[in-house]
Amino acid sequence: MKLLLKLLLKIFRNGLGAVIAFLSWIIPPSKIQRSFAEQKKVDLQTQQLELYQFFGCPFCIKTRRAGRRLNLKIIIRNAQTAGKYRDELTKAVGKIQVPCLKITDGNEVKWLLESGEIIAYLEKRFA
Ligand SMILES: N[C@@H](CCC(=O)N[C@@H](CS)C(=O)NCC(=O)O)C(=O)O
């Protein structure tokens, strides 16, 4: 009984997440515009940013929207299903929590948790 309830809750959460993700996709935020040269510079910088996330997680959707609004080509990593990226995230932060932004700067790697902090970081660096 408990297992069935857990399963139903999971289906509901995933379904709701998919609906929110769909709505977010059909109503995209307007992107900030940059000159060609500036956008190229930003694109180069965002090659060092990886967003570990779940597709239907509302905090991840909020963070992805901020990235879209700021016109950033952040690399998206699926940490929802078992595999390389989920393992990397667990190893780096000791748990599964998304969204999490991996920031690579030369040999230095920083992992940033909390959607609010990630968005503040992106806005400070790219707005
Ligand atoms: N306060 C966090 C909340 C993030 C959060 O609750 N994420 C959920 C997914 S929606 C999570 O990581 N859950 C871990 C799991 O499902 O294993 C934020 O704003 O980023």
Side-chain angles (χ1 to χ4, degrees), residues 6 13 26 29 31 37-38 46 48 59 72 76 79 99 106 120 123:
K6 239 174 132 176
R13 270 181 54 184
I26 57 169
K31 287 182 182 177
E38 262 198 45
T46 48
Q48 310 304 315
F59 303 99
L72 306 175
I76 301 293
E123 277 172 353

Side-chain angles (χ1 to χ4, degrees), residues 13 54 57-59 86 96-99 114-116:
R13 270 181 54 184
F54 295 174
C57 155
F59 303 99
R86 195 174 170 91
I96 287 292
Q97 186 182 318
V98 289
E114 292 295 325
S115 54

Side-chain angles (χ1 to χ4, degrees), residues 72-87:
L72 306 175
K73 295 185 180 74
I74 297 174
I75 301 160
I76 301 293
R77 302 295 193 203
N78 175 14
Q80 191 154 15
T81 46
K84 182 174 178 244
Y85 299 120
R86 195 174 170 91
D87 292 348

